[in-house]
């Protein structure tokens, strides 16, 4: 095929990404490569850039194909940590270790199906140096399952912030925010059926909460919930250190 | 004005309503005149027909003007019971009394602003012969307020069915349906703000409930919730009588 | 692949589900494992827990893969009942039998395509001990098909509650609720085309019903409709027994 | 106020409307002046133009103020026919009479509150020369009210087309279209409450109809339904005349 | 697998469809088997019933698998007419012929991608005995392509009704309805992109038309548009015959 | 009332607006004060600032009260030009004159009710120095009205850009963009009824246009359409001057 | 009028509200009386309860009538602080003073019209003991206005958390969250026009942010944004104190 | 299979497309064959027609299968230029060359995932003779990346118009339109997640822009954005030439 288009035309712009290497300094939050809307080659290219500059690359929504390529390409220079439920990966240069910020984050889910998003949030909190405490499948259809793990997190582990993950009716974050004196981030998930079952019902219910101190992120945005929680927890931790 | 239109044209159909007098026999539910989309004259005409045939007329969403006219027109022949929060009225021929079916209905509201719809539901249940038990402002922002009145209704008063009224996050019906072995009717209200604040968030959250045995009616449809609850309760009561 | 993530990290929370074993006691409704948003392994794990504790496990929205695994894994200890149209399964320990509560439930569908959701509802009613009567494809495009089976259910079989399943225009539940003195649960389905064809038109039409005593559940929520109907029917049956 | 803007600026375009005088010839449908989005002066100006050219002007959604002005301004030259429920007006030059096309149109409404839109449709049909037959408040909550007037229209009066007006659940047009061999135009109205109560539920239900031969117009578009019905009926009538 | 469920349980209702054989008499419109939401076996069963009773079966939205089975199963007794763009099939008993009603229908499409829905409409009109005239790809992006075929249909072929098929902006039906004195049925299609590209933009634009005499059916509902057009055309044709 | 709040609290921030005085230099577009969401005092304060710095203040969506105050307060120093249909005002310091950029803009409306938004657009174009040509009420319900004024604008007046204003079906911009070699800005208006009648149908139809070179602004955003048209026209005019 | 309804019926439940007096202890956030959906009498009753128990009552969305009644009724015992732009009020028992928590909150608005919601948020932060820093009208249409006040807040005043208030395009919170290492709460407002102009566009844009660490509350929920910001800031402040 | 349908029935209309060959003359914009909703054969047929008449055919949204067929079929007579990210193709008769209009267009993207739509726009601009300048991945999450390339385009390359491509929050076009004196076309993309993630959030945010001179096209409509930009740029270029 006489396709000279690729070399002479629209594609003469070889710069497809301008990774924001200073973000981790400027914001205290590492950039995460959302692989979902990118080709495998694009994701690999950007991962390579981050690994070179920062010694770490974090990727979310990783396809089977991309996962295999990550394993293969970076075997020599980095460890690959794989989070199967979240389908997320952390590449870390050999010899590098995760810092410890002192921040403390609690994560609750309403159901089993919400766990992938909870793990996504946990991952980013940990990469920001936080300790994460989790309790899964404690939703409002059986309230008696909630009280003990919640009290444990708040009073014994003294978390600085809570992420509450829920799909379907999205009621758990409101119930939790009504009970404890800790900022709560509601993370709605696309677990549901029928009208509003793409996470809209859960998101709207959280936005309409009658409990004070509940803020939200978009449906299935585990990374965003984790980044916000990490920032809050690390700020409190920094103040604790004085 | 030479308007001969009114007598010779489009308006030659004088029958504007065909009241369903047999409904109370056929369904066990009295027809309620929804005054909202009708002119005052139309509502009065239909009320007069019901009073004549059934000895009772029930009107909801009554304007100030219609209320005044009802007081004035039917003073001789009927008692007017007025429900100020629901803006509903019952005209009852002098000498008639409400029957007692033996049905038992419990009604909870999440907030103070949900009371008008709760009262609308209570009214229709009572007109169907049921005894109604109420507890208001027991929403999830302060769960500790809920447990006692709920236990009271279910275990002591032994209600046959519960109506749970909630706007905003619409979380209360799911919480209640997760706790008690009684059918629950969720009644969402248009109490809220921002996205979903017209009752959509509450309705969607109830439709997405993860608790079994929760059914719903449309936003602000107190009459519908009451009619369904009354039918269920009266059916149980009839079975009790054998 | 040097993936030590799975054993040392985000995944240290091994508790992925807290099955609500008391639900069947507390609510009179068995918990159903919605397999749709869970991995095959997760669904099997939870099924195993229920079988051990309650002697029965009910699964809905079962994939081909999960069905095969259920057959294979539990052959020794339990009978598998398979509902092909609903794609639902009941595992029952050898020697256990379904109870008989005395409740009586009628189920109608508007079309042939609504049958899977009707079967889902029937299954849960039967597992709650009810007798179920069905009539399919009796929608409003040919009203003459409706009257006989409906009269049969209500007057001869004396059902305590009706579930009416309809997609497309969603008109059948309103028509039925206008005709009979029995509580009606509308179950909208995602059968349709064009605007509102995902079940929204059917759901909205049922929510807007002008017939008294119609309550609804979410689109395609056969389990929820069945659970609510079972609770109502069993309550009436218990009262009959005195 | 030194406002010279009005005479020298944006307003130098004095042509605010180009009435389509040939429409009645080209289409067989008279143009109707929708007064709702126009100022009183604009509506009067356009009415004057139609009266001069065609000897008739039809106005819909007429405010109290405009109605008064119409009475006052055209008293000398024209008769004003006023349709109070539709809030529509026909100005007709003295001496002019409505033609008789031979077309026959039937109009049904589900409830009393749908009548204003039915009258709007009836008006335009009559101005197109049709004979109109009406039956109001025959909705599906009490189906027994429907059969006789419907049979009457179709078999005795032999209407060429039916307009079925319904708000709320919008079920009546589907039921009617399933019963009779006449084209049916569904006219949804903004009568309702809660989700879909602005006429959306009724419109969607009609669009999703499972009955053949049902077409629709937009919510509250009585004029459009009448124009389409008139065109169909007049075409049949013309064929009858040969 | 010890699955005794299929023979003893939920599936004891063997009546999955109640075909409306009288529809073609009652309504003048044959029933069309919408294969989309049915299993291949269900569709074949219903087709067999129609073929036996009426000598003809019409199926729409036919899958490759169903098409193959139709060819195979009915080879002996019937002719299969296959409409490749509409993916529709007509089975006709050997020896039967299509009637000729005298009705005349014109069908226009805005683009090439709208043709499948146009063919669906044409098929049903022809099965109702009408003669169909078509002109494709005459949309408003190049108005000069429209005028000649439209004039041809209306003035030379004297069609009784027009179906105008359009996706994307949905503007063509309004333009056509503004030009000709024939009833127009707008048929929106799911051809488009971005917001409203599922046919919503086209449908809304048609519902909002400022041209008189335009009625609509739901997105992609070629069968419905054809049935309505056929009923109108046949009614005019019957009147022509006297 | 002992309200010391106003002086000591939340209101200690006296800076309520930071007018962007450089915008007219930076962008070539003057800032317009959208009075709709501001109090009368706030609007007056900002107008005073613009008049002082730039010698001109432009206000849109002006209430009766604000109009009266503008007349009264600035009588000494400025001329008030008032656009009654757009409810917009231009305050111009005595002695200042509007510049002439050489840009040429054409504005069409589909109906009479679209004129207020057209005038809003015309005003801002003129304040940017453009000459504006208008033709109103030339929509697709009567296409014959369109061709002459359109040809006039494009071929005789040689406009650089067209604004086409339409509510309801929003079809006119697509038709125009299919006919002429000039960039077209579609301006949808909130003129309509029923579903999509708030301008959504018109906007969606324009977004879905099958005609090349059509861009849009939001519903009723006459100011935005005018600013964009003015920028395009002035850029062409500047190039003409060389 | 013989209305004995009010004393003997639906209204026998005199408990219309169960104020959550412990909330301020349990959550660290005072309860705010949302007056919008309550009658004047209901709001006064609840305010009286709070004043008696906590020495302070906070009311938002206060009508003119309620404001007058608050002035009149509590003059003897409390100071009324009135926030005119937010239409909010604080009643404080004579002699009580606001505490100082040490928390530091920054609030930015995109435009002048967003100020009422900013003031609502500021009020609740101050009542929680925080110091509040504000900068208004610094939106993205003129980015040069943003940098200085933002740097000031973050680097000089060292705020612990930022609230960024924006209607229309809702772009400011994303821009700010991309620039500073402080948690950001996006507060969308119902300032806008056309599609999405009720705050939906602003809310969606914030939910879709590509900047890390941005969380949101519902449209116009100034109270919620303030409560969350106050909780975060106070938690940091408490940690600072050790 | 005895399928005589294909030759004798619905398919007798062999004209499936009426390519608008004069468009490039009439509008200055070449027609682009949107392959997405067409069969491979249909697309090839239309491409052949364009190649024959105009010496060039442009196809967008090309499938793998169609791409292979294009390579194969036209090898003899034309060059195929293939744009891999946009999945678009230009067939050009051997010996033909692209014209140079002198127009200058700048294209920016917020992220890497927006590049396919940017390339689609670039392609059409180049086919219209424009020179295109691009800068990718310069979104608001890291504003510092934006200023230099933007200044470069506007001040050094002196582009006549800018296309700004953004998904997710859609904030970049508003920021750019606030900074530069060049008309800006916002092109929203379907890059996002959760509520509004199909491009709706980006589109709404652009429609709500508070920056003057921003116009938009529909989600992912790269062709439309390019065509509009090309028309504007070429108009300016023509004026430059005088």
């Amino acid at each position: 095929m006489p396709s000279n288009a690729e070399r002479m035309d629209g594609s003469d712009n070889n710069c497809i990404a301008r990774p924001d290497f200073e973000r981790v300094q400027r914001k205290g939050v590492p950039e995460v490569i959302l692989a979902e809307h990118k080709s495998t080659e694009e994701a690999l290219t950007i991962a390579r850039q981050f690994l070179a500059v920062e010694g770490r690359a974090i990727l979310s929504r990783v396809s089977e194909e991309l996962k295999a390529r990550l394993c293969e390409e970076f075997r020599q220079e980095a460890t690959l940590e794989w989070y199967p439920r979240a389908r997320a990966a952390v590449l870390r240069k050999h010899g590098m270790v995760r810092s410890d910020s002192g921040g403390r984050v609690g994560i609750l889910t309403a159901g089993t199906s919400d766990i992938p998003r909870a793990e996504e949030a946990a991952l980013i909190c940990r990469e920001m140096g936080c300790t994460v405490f989790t309790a899964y499948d404690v939703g409002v259809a059986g309230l008696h399952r909630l009280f003990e793990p919640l009290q444990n997190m708040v009073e014994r582990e003294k978390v600085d912030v809570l992420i509450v993950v829920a799909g379907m009716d999205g009621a758990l974050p409101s119930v939790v925010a009504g009970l404890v004196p800790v900022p709560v981030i509601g993370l709605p998930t696309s677990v549901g059926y029928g009208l509003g079952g793409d996470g809209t019902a859960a998101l709207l219910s959280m936005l309409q909460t009658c409990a004070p101190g509940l803020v939200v992120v978009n449906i299935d945005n585990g990374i965003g919930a984790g980044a916000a929680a990490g920032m809050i927890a690390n700020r409190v931790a920094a103040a604790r250190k004085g």
Side-chain angles (χ1 to χ4, degrees), chain A:
Chain A
M1 183 183 99
S3 164
N4 37 13
E6 265 160 289
R7 85 176 167 272
M8 76 174 203
D9 216 330
S11 308
D12 52 3
N13 186 325
N14 288 313
C15 172
I16 59 153
R18 300 170 193 242
D20 193 357
F21 298 126
E22 303 110 67
R23 182 180 292 174
V24 73
Q25 271 72 42
R26 195 174 73 244
K27 290 282 304 177
V29 182
E31 190 163 340
V32 175
I33 305 164
L34 176 63
E36 204 168 32
H37 293 281
K38 300 190 178 67
S39 69
T40 297
E41 288 310 321
E42 286 171 350
L44 284 169
T45 301
I46 305 176
R48 202 170 296 119
Q49 292 174 311
F50 271 101
L51 203 61
V53 175
E54 302 193 355
R56 177 181 60 179
I58 311 174
L59 299 101
S60 72
R61 314 281 165 102
V62 174
S63 67
E64 274 304 303
E65 184 198 345
L66 177 56
K67 182 188 160 192
R69 291 289 301 280
L70 289 170
C71 282
E72 194 185 300
E73 301 243 337
F74 298 102
R75 191 181 293 264
Q76 299 300 325
E77 53 191 310
T79 311
L80 177 76
E81 291 163 22
W82 175 244
Y83 295 79
R85 283 192 289 232
R87 301 207 60 79
V90 179
L91 284 170
R92 206 184 307 277
K93 269 243 163 96
H94 293 317
M96 291 204 64
V97 291
R98 238 170 26 194
S99 62
D100 177 355
S101 68
R104 303 175 78 77
V105 177
I107 304 183
L108 303 166
T109 77
T112 300
S113 307
D114 303 316
I115 297 178
R117 298 289 79 77
E119 299 271 298
E120 220 173 42
L123 176 158
I124 191 81
C125 289
R126 288 189 181 110
E127 293 300 319
M128 291 172 74
C130 299
T131 304
V132 176
F133 305 86
T134 62
Y136 296 155
D137 198 22
V138 297
V140 301
L143 259 191
H144 55 289
R145 302 174 298 187
L146 169 66
F147 299 119
E148 199 209 296
L150 180 59
Q151 197 176 15
N152 205 26
M153 276 186 192
V154 172
E155 290 175 20
R156 207 178 63 191
E157 303 296 359
K158 298 196 187 309
V159 297
D160 302 313
V161 62
L162 279 166
I163 297 172
V164 185
V165 195
M168 303 196 68
D169 52 36
L172 187 62
S174 287
V175 168
V176 170
L179 290 170
V180 297
V182 174
V184 179
I185 297 172
L187 167 48
T189 66
S190 58
V191 172
Y193 50 81
L195 197 68
D198 56 354
T200 305
L203 171 58
L204 289 182
S205 184
M206 295 180 200
L207 285 170
Q208 286 291 339
T209 186
C210 44
L214 178 63
V215 291
V216 305
V217 296
N218 205 345
I219 298 162
D220 289 338
N221 188 5
I223 297 296
M231 285 181 78
I232 295 170
N234 285 350
R235 208 158 177 93
V236 180
R240 260 197 300 267
K241 293 176 186 170

